[in-house]
Amino acid sequence: MSRSDPAARGDRSADADTDTDTPLLGLCLAGPTGAGKTAVALAFARALAEERGQGREGLQHGRAGTAVEIISVDSAAVYRGMDVGTAKPSAAERAEVPHHLIDILDPREAYSAAAFAQDARRIAGEIRARGRLPLLVGGTMLYFKALREGLDAMPAADPALRAALDAEAAARGWPALHAELARVDPVTAARLAPHDSQRIQRALEVWRTSGRTLSDWQARGHRHGQPASDPARPDSTSADPTSADPTAADPTAADTALPGTTSPNTRADDRRRWPLVSLEPASRAWLHERIARRFAAMLEQGLLDEVRALRARGDLHAGLPSMRCVGYRQAWAALDSGRLTDLASTGAAATRQLAKRQLTWLRSMPDRHVVPCDACAGPHAADALAQGVAALRRAAQAGGGAARAP
């Protein structure tokens, strides 16, 4: 990408910072929902496999020469039985290139940014040991932050305290607990609805456990130059809900940490080991059109039937992190209300808000390598894919070290 390209202005170019003393641990490919991340990731994997003399046929048969394995960075794709609304890679795509951290949890379970970082580092090490390149792909920006910069522990979930808060709410009502929160943490309470049980519970849990308010924890994160993860607002990032891109962050466990408070030099070294390529549109209208088409396609592919099946299990409810994923949350509410005709518009609107939050997170990452994704569909799709592949290649070269892309 030329330095004169609009996407390059104000951000690092993809060929900057060739510090070969910093070993590459993996490549990161991020972007808002609908930006074309999967297509770019697969094109990159195919290009490297062909360079190794393997060819696409060998790649499809999983020969030992496979150059790339993909780690999903998606807080919704971790859940089994949630396929349509998460836009997971297809079975054919997953057979073509190995994928990790997809379908690892039941929708009843929670997954955290800290757990993701631990899992991703372990899996990336295993991939490197096989002589392949880890490529982390997704839109859950809090997960990228946790991996590339570390987390500073916020009070973990306390089941006993949560049970006590549930009992208080049963006796007094959530508005009463919201009023209590307003007395100790008016900043957090001001942005929560009186019946927002999950977020009120988490904010009171943090206060009662640590003696510090949630807003104080978040201000601490901002002082270290990071957009603080917000347990009281799981929708603030990738439903970060962020991810595939309808995703959802766990409003309880996923955000029990804040970006690391290690020294700036240490964080910079960590980021160089995980260089990040970001697909970002110059035109918001282009992205919004793709989002509308994407959500309409999900409805045609059976999103409502998928949510009906999840509801029919009997052990899931609308407050679970999995069911708060963008798309699933709106479908569940539509089935509750019976207003199914509104789902296409409400789902697309929620996804647009998700994309906005994802872009806000990305713009807080000054070391990212920006590639315009506006041409990912239409007659110039091949050029757009080539730009994405080239940016990933340059990022790998800039990272240096033993795990450099072939």
Side-chain angles (χ1 to χ4, degrees):
M1 179 171 57
S2 165
R3 292 182 185 274
S4 63
D5 287 340
R9 292 196 296 266
D11 301 296
R12 288 175 33 144
S13 66
D15 57 356
D17 192 3
T18 56
D19 179 4
T20 57
D21 293 331
T22 304
L24 179 71
L25 299 179
L27 285 180
C28 300
L29 177 63
T33 179
K37 297 181 292 294
T38 296
V40 171
L42 292 173
F44 179 67
R46 291 164 186 155
L48 292 195
E50 290 171 2
E51 283 186 8
R52 287 189 171 185
Q54 179 183 4
R56 185 169 178 182
E57 181 180 353
L59 182 64
Q60 290 172 327
H61 287 84
R63 294 179 183 170
T66 297
V68 172
E69 295 187 32
I70 292 172
I71 300 174
S72 171
V73 187
D74 186 330
S75 59
V78 297
Y79 292 113
R80 295 185 291 271
M82 295 172 57
D83 301 320
V84 177
T86 58
K88 292 173 184 172
S90 68
E93 290 166 339
R94 292 162 68 178
E96 182 179 356
V97 179
H99 283 67
H100 304 271
L101 296 185
I102 294 176
D103 293 338
I104 63 171
L105 295 177
D106 185 85
R108 290 172 301 176
E109 300 176 272
Y111 196 56
S112 71
F116 167 81
Q118 182 177 20
D119 289 344
R121 287 178 179 273
R122 172 182 53 80
I123 293 168
E126 294 168 356
I127 293 170
R128 292 194 302 272
R130 292 191 283 270
R132 301 171 185 173
L133 180 67
L135 177 60
L136 295 97
V137 182
T140 301
M141 304 309 165
L142 179 59
Y143 286 10
F144 279 120
K145 287 277 189 183
L147 175 70
R148 300 176 75 235
E149 301 179 20
L151 294 168
D152 192 28
M154 185 186 284
D158 183 331
L161 178 54
R162 290 189 175 188
L165 287 167
D166 284 337
E168 287 184 44
R172 301 166 53 203
W174 283 108
L177 270 68
H178 181 268
E180 177 184 330
L181 178 63
R183 288 192 293 272
V184 298
D185 187 0
V187 173
T188 298
R191 62 179 185 245
L192 301 183
H195 291 280
D196 195 341
S197 59
Q198 274 196 309
R199 294 170 176 87
I200 294 169
Q201 182 187 65
R202 177 56 184 159
L204 287 172
E205 178 183 43
V206 169
W207 163 249
R208 294 187 184 183
T209 301
S210 68
R212 290 175 53 192
T213 65
L214 181 59
S215 58
D216 183 44
W217 282 96
Q218 309 226 321
R220 181 185 182 199
H222 280 294
R223 285 197 296 273
H224 287 278
Q226 309 297 336
S229 59
D230 188 347
R233 293 191 64 199
D235 299 330
S236 65
T237 63
S238 87
D240 252 58
T242 94
S243 79
D245 278 21
T247 87
D250 174 358
T252 56
D255 291 333
T256 57
L258 290 175
T261 56
T262 53
S263 72
N265 287 341
T266 300
R267 291 199 303 271
D269 286 344
D270 287 345
R271 289 194 298 267
R272 280 194 291 270
R273 292 185 175 100
W274 304 95
L276 181 102
V277 172
S278 178
L279 304 181
E280 300 176 26
S283 168
R284 192 69 60 87
W286 175 88
L287 184 61
H288 288 179
E289 182 182 355
R290 281 177 63 90
I291 285 171
R293 291 201 308 267
R294 179 189 181 99
F295 196 79
M298 288 178 179
L299 291 176
E300 291 176 2
Q301 293 161 11
L303 175 59
L304 270 172
D305 288 338
E306 187 171 74
V307 176
R308 286 189 181 102
L310 291 166
R311 287 163 61 100
R313 286 179 35 160
D315 61 346
L316 303 178
H317 58 83
L320 287 169
S322 60
M323 295 300 101
R324 296 183 71 84
C325 294
V326 170
Y328 290 88
R329 180 177 183 174
Q330 288 71 36
W332 191 292
L335 289 169
D336 277 345
S337 68
R339 299 174 59 183
L340 302 182
T341 56
D342 296 338
L343 181 55
S345 59
T346 58
T351 310
R352 288 195 301 271
Q353 289 300 311
L354 166 60
K356 181 179 179 180
R357 292 188 293 270
Q358 291 169 316
L359 287 167
T360 297
W361 270 81
L362 285 167
R363 288 165 185 156
S364 76
M365 303 176 181
D367 62 331
R368 74 197 191 284
H369 312 284
V370 178
V371 175
C373 60
D374 301 49
C376 284
H380 303 294
D383 292 340
L385 286 176
Q387 283 192 55
V389 170
L392 285 168
R393 191 184 303 278
R394 291 194 295 270
Q397 292 168 349
R404 182 183 299 175

